[in-house]
Amino acid sequence: MSLHWTFGAVPRHVGARDQCETDGLPDTMDIETLSKKILTGDRRALSRAITLIESSRADHRDQAVHLIERLKDAQRQAIRIGLSGTPGVGKSTFIESFGKMLTAQGLRVAVLAVDPSSARSGGSILGDKTRMEELSRDPNAFIRPSPAQSHLGGVARRTREAVTVCEAAGFDVVLIETVGVGQSETVVAEMSDLFILLIAPAGGDELQGVKRGIMEIADIILINKADGDLKPAATRTCSDYAGALRLLRKRPQDPADFPKAMMVSALERDGLQKAWDEMTALTTWRRENGHFDARREAQARYWFQQEVRQGLMAQLDTPEARARMQDFAEKVAAGDITPTVAAQELLQGLGD
Ligand code: GDP
């Protein structure tokens, strides 16, 4: 396989989004040089690598796969923290404050996003860097908005690959942000070592319709906005969640007091150090007890299976496959062939 890619005139069949995606990539680039630069922590190289990863052009995809293979050998490991919460709960304020606190401690922080709505809105709502103004200017931070993709599966793959490139670039903490919509939490949890759910103080005693499934994947629930007039409500909400968490099945892989609920104020930068201490305590505990590696292994298996599924779906999505599907559907409808046999024949013929 060639180590170079060239990219001159954009082929006519490539849409506007694809052109936009490849903006910033040089005409020729050497994957070996790129990977070396990434390993030295070069942010420009990191940015380029992620642009390459996000490109849907087949040649770029090959190069991206090759790059990731090379970087794998670096065996660097960040703490990957998934962070979810509904719009307005304070995610960007939290990331800004929390990120600044970590960089002040000498840690390097990368922020990535999985934004299931970006396909619909045509641009990422998590992509607005002005939301994290201070952090985006911090030389020890790297912020990357969610890639524009039509499928959550595509966003997931690209974000997961971007995480590994950030790790190779020597980041200590990778924050993966998502809005609490649909399947995106599960996707983010499957690429994170820790999963943090951000909640706003509630007026009533209801648990804000937070689904049990999300509670089950959260390691720490942070009640944000625990300041000023909202403090009493935050305190009540926090004890509601602490109570709800106690009712969940205990996880054998965690210390007895996890998952836990805590209060923070992202705006006043209060409680953030305590939250970080809990995150590192849990991570250390999992590392010492083998659960950290076991989780990453399980995640690798999961993503392998997802890739196989997506690969098969892609094979069904070609014009030839669709035409064959249509043919078989007609025959099945006419009673010439049973659905079972038709499906078997179609699947056997895939990739021919
Ligand atoms: P996101 O949509 O989840 O990213 O939420 P933002 O970070 O944009 O915050 C939404 C609103 O909540 C903004 O007006 C913030 O100033 C406010 N906010 C965020 N964190 C806090 C906090 O800790 N306390 C208070 N009182 N307001 C906050």
Side-chain angles (χ1 to χ4, degrees):
M1 189 191 291
S2 157
L3 287 183
H4 293 80
W5 86 75
T6 49
F7 138 89
V10 177
R12 203 169 296 151
H13 64 272
V14 174
R17 170 160 289 166
D18 300 280
Q19 289 184 34
C20 171
E21 272 178 14
T22 49
D23 274 354
L25 290 183
D27 285 358
T28 52
M29 187 72 194
D30 171 344
I31 290 295
E32 203 165 327
T33 310
L34 188 63
S35 71
K36 278 186 186 143
K37 281 188 174 168
I38 290 168
L39 292 173
T40 65
D42 183 324
R43 283 156 33 124
R44 246 175 89 84
L46 175 61
S47 244
R48 277 185 186 165
I50 298 180
T51 305
L52 182 66
I53 283 168
E54 289 174 358
S55 168
S56 46
R57 272 178 47 179
D59 55 337
H60 287 166
R61 191 93 282 276
D62 288 346
Q63 300 289 342
V65 169
H66 192 65
L67 174 71
I68 289 162
E69 274 298 305
R70 285 191 152 267
L71 295 173
K72 180 166 69 65
D73 298 335
Q75 300 214 328
R76 290 187 179 153
Q77 218 175 49
I79 302 185
R80 306 170 179 174
I81 303 175
L83 180 77
S84 175
T86 47
V89 71
K91 288 180 300 301
S92 34
T93 312
F94 176 82
I95 292 171
E96 168 102 328
S97 304
F98 187 68
K100 284 302 289 178
M101 181 190 80
L102 297 181
T103 58
Q105 294 173 15
L107 296 169
R108 297 181 70 220
V109 179
V111 182
L112 304 170
V114 170
D115 178 1
S117 63
S118 65
R120 254 172 293 138
S121 60
S124 171
I125 55 160
L126 301 176
D128 185 358
K129 278 198 188 179
T130 58
R131 295 187 321 139
M132 301 162 202
E133 222 173 305
E134 264 191 79
L135 195 63
S136 61
R137 287 197 306 266
D138 191 322
N140 283 323
F142 176 84
I143 300 179
R144 184 79 179 195
S146 181
Q149 291 287 323
S150 50
H151 302 293
L152 185 54
V155 178
R157 176 199 284 159
R158 282 156 178 80
T159 309
R160 182 168 50 83
E161 290 175 346
V163 169
T164 61
V165 180
C166 289
E167 282 193 323
F171 283 88
D172 304 290
V173 177
V174 180
L175 285 167
I176 311 155
E177 176 191 12
T178 190
V179 273
V181 186
Q183 287 292 301
S184 68
E185 278 112 345
T186 318
V187 164
V188 170
E190 284 292 350
M191 58 178 88
S192 307
D193 302 315
L194 294 175
F195 191 78
I196 311 293
L197 180 62
L198 226 56
I199 297 277
D205 57 0
E206 86 288 5
L207 293 182
Q208 293 177 56
V210 172
K211 289 183 232 85
R212 190 189 163 93
I214 297 163
M215 299 262 297
E216 278 174 345
I217 56 174
D219 295 303
I220 300 174
I221 293 182
L222 294 178
I223 320 303
N224 190 32
K225 310 195 184 184
D227 51 48
D229 292 349
L230 291 168
K231 185 90 183 242
T235 309
R236 271 197 312 275
T237 306
C238 187
S239 67
D240 286 349
Y241 276 95
L245 288 175
R246 274 194 293 276
L247 296 177
L248 291 180
R249 188 165 32 90
K250 279 290 149 220
R251 302 171 183 171
Q253 74 273 26
D254 286 341
D257 55 340
F258 280 94
K260 61 173 62 177
M262 307 172 59
M263 285 190 280
V264 291
S265 166
L267 201 63
E268 297 190 354
R269 306 197 169 184
D270 193 20
L272 302 181
Q273 182 61 48
K274 200 159 173 291
W276 174 236
D277 290 344
E278 295 290 352
M279 291 179 211
T280 47
L282 182 58
T283 307
T284 305
W285 196 91
R286 285 182 178 166
R287 278 212 167 102
E288 286 170 354
N289 291 278
H291 299 305
F292 187 93
D293 288 342
R295 179 169 168 141
R296 286 212 175 182
E297 281 164 25
Q299 289 175 343
R301 283 178 209 277
Y302 172 85
W303 289 114
F304 160 66
Q305 286 162 6
Q306 290 295 110
E307 286 288 330
V308 171
R309 287 201 174 89
Q310 276 175 34
L312 283 174
M313 293 304 282
Q315 285 190 37
L316 282 176
D317 206 23
T318 62
E320 299 77 40
R322 278 198 296 269
R324 274 175 67 84
M325 190 97 103
Q326 184 64 29
D327 266 3
F328 275 114
E330 299 299 338
K331 288 182 189 151
V332 168
D336 297 342
I337 185 170
T338 65
T340 311
V341 172
Q344 274 172 358
E345 285 187 16
L346 182 103
L347 290 172
Q348 275 162 9
L350 279 183
D352 284 353

